[in-house]
Amino acid sequence: MKNGSRTGRSLRTLAPVLGVLGFFVLWELIVRVLDVPTFELPAPSRVLQEIADHPGLYWHQALPTIREAALGFAISLLVAVPVGSLLAHSRVAERATWPVIVLLMVTPVVAYAPAMVVWLGFGTTPILMVVVLISTPPLILGTIIGLRSVDPATLELMESVNASRREVYFKLRLPSALPQLFTATRVALSLALVGALLGEFFAGVTEGLGWMISRSQANPIQQALPLWACVFVLAAIGTAAFTLVAVLERTLLHWHSSQQF
Amino acid sequence: MDEIRIEGVGKTFLGKSEVTALVDFSLIIGRGQFVTLLGPSGCGKSTLLRMVNGVEPVTEGHISIFGVPPDQARREKQFGFVPQSPALMPWRTVRRNVNLLNEVNRGATEHDPLPKARVDELLHAVGLDAFLDAYPATLSGGMQQRVSLVRAFASGAPVLLMDEPFAALDEITRGSMRYLLLDLWATSGTTVLFVTHSLDEAVILSDRVAVMASRPGRIVAEEAIALPRPRREELEDSHDFHRHVAQLRAALRSSWVR
């Protein structure tokens, strides 16, 4: 057994938990010892208390944001995998599309988010549009790179028995692409959350964590606690999404070297 | 018609400059024979294998597989291919990897895949019974290559094409793999076209060896290996074995440019 003792292994499992706990304890101590005013930086215990005092409020504000991010991500995935597959198939199409994808990725979404509102009006539609625009490019790239990462010898093996394109795609290319797709999914999910928040800033909606944050900002001294509560809720949503992906990855990619311990 | 006929085959790759990979290659392989292409890297062995397989067109000459052109033979799934790397799908268990060739291009075959009981026998023969549900990442290189071998035999294809399948294995493992392959082949009735750059391997395995030279790729000698079968490890200590190896070495040397 590698790394010897049982205590050694349980320490390794506990290490991340200890790290997070240490971070919050340090934060709490600094705020209390230096007596930092709440509007500058509230202690984590006060932020958690704020959430515990109004669980319904934060739950109701979190739901639309989660919905926008999740729905937008789902649309991105449904668009990106077929588009990426087509592009992986044709070098010419890929070369033509590549600059557009790169342009989308390097242009800060904040810059064109207001334009979405002008085009699509107020409401959920421009928010979804922003989420899709921001989370699709990494998924397309992940699909292309993943589909291309196929083992040439296995491809030759499939050719030797005249496997159809369809068989090669579903039996070989798509499973080969899964590790890359999961990596892209992590990136796309965090971007989707950013997109949902940003969309809410501009889209004139009156619910969601993004709306709540922008409202708090108008009144930062009185609203410091709700602002930080939103940050905590968002961190929790992000963590939950990452955990979900990790569990899915562990199940689907148990054969992959990255999952061997 | 009951043979693989390779007649006057040439291959030129067109690119920025023309590269002649193979000239005037002829070889006739009877059904059930084990024939080896022996030669240095770059002599066109793999290219020839790909042309027999029907995935690479010939530039000159003619190939027929039991009376049909290579491309048709490929569509009829006449070939089992064993590449140099095991080429296993890491998300499939040993058993499902072995079954892979039977799952694709179904219904195109004129032969049947081996019955499950027979495949189990093969897996037993190569010592993989205990690993049927294991994933490739947990197997050693030698074990992975055994899966690859069984996969080719399990397809029931009458012609097996092997492109240096043992080249990446350590000397001790490849020593035992050769006899394992002979065991699998002995009862299968398949025709094997085997590519290697190992003189010992060519003598141990083959009925006949086509010795090749490079630049341009061509055949320089054809040697029959008249050693009795079944062949066992002791063979490698015999005078006859060394005589055959010496003959092949002489044939290879004759093609050297000095």
Side-chain angles (χ1 to χ4, degrees):
Chain A
M1 204 137 291
K2 255 186 275 177
N3 266 354
S5 66
R6 187 175 291 171
T7 39
R9 265 199 306 164
S10 45
L11 253 181
R12 257 197 315 163
T13 327
L14 273 177
V17 182
L18 291 176
V20 174
L21 272 180
F23 173 74
F24 282 112
V25 168
L26 197 67
W27 178 350
E28 185 84 29
L29 277 177
I30 289 172
V31 171
R32 293 201 180 196
V33 171
L34 301 181
D35 204 13
V36 181
T38 299
F39 70 87
E40 277 180 12
L41 180 69
S45 60
R46 289 209 54 194
V47 179
L48 291 174
Q49 188 61 51
E50 160 73 15
I51 297 172
D53 288 344
H54 314 94
L57 169 71
Y58 289 101
W59 178 241
H60 279 293
Q61 299 307 331
L63 270 185
T65 309
I66 295 174
R67 208 161 35 224
E68 290 147 12
L71 187 59
F73 171 78
I75 296 172
S76 293
L77 197 62
L78 286 177
V79 171
V81 174
V83 169
S85 302
L86 280 175
L87 296 183
H89 198 73
S90 149
R91 288 271 175 194
V92 179
E94 188 201 326
R95 286 179 69 89
T97 324
W98 197 263
V100 181
I101 295 172
V102 172
L103 264 179
L104 263 178
M105 293 220 296
V106 297
T107 311
V109 64
V110 206
Y112 56 80
M116 296 300 131
V117 180
V118 175
W119 293 349
L120 302 166
F122 287 124
T124 317
T125 322
I127 302 178
L128 282 178
M129 195 65 196
V130 170
V131 173
V132 170
L133 279 175
I134 197 174
S135 64
T136 304
L139 288 171
I140 292 182
L141 289 190
T143 308
I144 295 177
I145 295 168
L147 290 174
R148 291 248 168 93
S149 70
V150 43
D151 172 37
T154 314
L155 197 58
E156 213 179 333
L157 180 78
M158 295 289 271
E159 271 178 32
S160 75
V161 289
N162 204 38
S164 65
R165 276 188 175 169
R166 194 189 151 82
E167 285 167 334
V168 171
Y169 182 80
F170 283 106
K171 285 189 189 293
L172 178 59
R173 286 193 187 274
L174 207 54
S176 303
L178 275 182
Q180 287 288 348
L181 262 177
F182 267 105
T183 307
T185 292
R186 288 171 205 278
V187 177
L189 266 180
S190 42
L191 285 175
L193 207 53
V194 171
L197 280 186
L198 204 72
E200 288 174 6
F201 287 172
F202 294 103
V205 289
T206 51
E207 55 173 8
L209 293 170
W211 165 75
M212 210 172 154
I213 288 172
S214 65
R215 201 186 53 165
S216 307
Q217 256 183 336
N219 232 333
I221 295 181
Q222 292 89 332
Q223 298 285 319
L225 265 183
L227 183 85
W228 278 98
C230 287
V231 174
F232 273 43
V233 172
L234 281 164
I237 296 171
T239 309
F242 261 61
T243 311
L244 199 69
V245 174
V247 169
L248 207 63
E249 192 173 16
R250 198 63 80 75
T251 324
L252 283 175
L253 292 188
H254 59 88
W255 48 268
H256 193 252
S257 50
S258 71
Q259 304 297 315
Q260 320 273 326
F261 292 103
Chain B
M1 283 296 136
D2 208 27
E3 53 203 7
I4 298 174
R5 301 185 71 91
I6 304 168
E7 292 168 313
V9 163
K11 179 71 187 180
T12 306
F13 289 105
L14 299 172
K16 281 176 191 149
S17 58
E18 285 189 10
V19 179
T20 308
L22 209 61
V23 286
D24 195 26
F25 189 103
S26 296
L27 188 68
I28 291 170
I29 305 165
R31 191 185 281 273
Q33 279 196 329
F34 198 121
V35 173
T36 292
L37 305 174
L38 173 73
S41 304
C43 71
K45 312 184 290 278
S46 297
T47 305
L48 186 72
L49 213 59
R50 289 174 57 77
M51 290 192 290
V52 171
N53 196 175
V55 290
E56 189 81 65
V58 300
T59 331
E60 260 173 75
H62 181 76
I63 299 178
S64 87
I65 315 294
F66 306 138
V68 304
D71 194 50
Q72 185 185 338
R74 180 168 70 105
R75 275 181 270 124
E76 291 171 356
K77 286 180 81 171
Q78 303 266 24
F79 301 110
F81 179 53
V82 183
Q84 180 173 337
S85 74
L88 303 179
M89 294 184 170
W91 52 89
R92 284 178 171 241
T93 60
V94 166
R95 182 180 281 293
R96 293 195 60 231
N97 262 296
V98 164
N99 200 39
L100 173 74
L101 300 182
N102 302 329
E103 289 175 25
V104 298
N105 187 13
R106 279 168 192 251
T109 39
E110 300 204 336
H111 61 86
D112 290 323
L114 292 196
K116 185 174 173 297
R118 183 76 188 107
V119 175
D120 285 344
E121 276 174 39
L122 295 184
L123 285 165
H124 175 76
V126 301
L128 283 170
D129 328 47
F131 299 93
L132 297 183
D133 297 319
Y135 287 87
T138 63
L139 304 179
S140 70
M143 288 163 93
Q144 293 186 14
Q145 200 54 269
R146 282 183 262 163
V147 178
S148 171
L149 278 180
V150 173
R151 176 179 58 196
F153 281 99
S155 72
V159 181
L160 301 185
L161 305 173
M162 307 193 178
D163 193 358
E164 305 191 31
F166 308 145
L169 302 176
D170 66 82
E171 189 56 34
I172 298 167
T173 308
R174 74 187 291 193
S176 64
M177 289 288 286
R178 292 162 179 166
Y179 295 96
L180 210 56
L181 169 58
L182 285 181
D183 287 344
L184 296 180
W185 171 70
T187 52
S188 68
T190 52
T191 310
V192 178
L193 187 53
F194 190 95
V195 164
T196 185
H197 50 234
S198 159
L199 295 160
D200 288 4
E201 199 157 279
V203 174
I204 293 167
L205 296 173
S206 320
D207 294 320
R208 261 183 315 136
V209 179
V211 182
M212 296 177 69
S214 52
R215 255 165 288 158
R218 62 197 188 280
I219 192 165
V220 290
E222 209 184 305
E223 302 278 346
I225 310 293
L227 296 167
R229 295 183 188 272
R231 296 174 184 168
R232 290 281 162 248
E233 282 83 340
E234 299 79 59
L235 171 80
E236 293 172 53
D237 301 321
S238 74
H239 175 71
D240 278 350
F241 173 79
H242 291 294
R243 193 172 47 81
H244 279 294
V245 172
Q247 267 171 6
L248 291 183
R249 192 177 289 123
L252 279 171
R253 204 176 287 142
S254 71
S255 69
W256 289 357
V257 184
R258 285 169 200 261

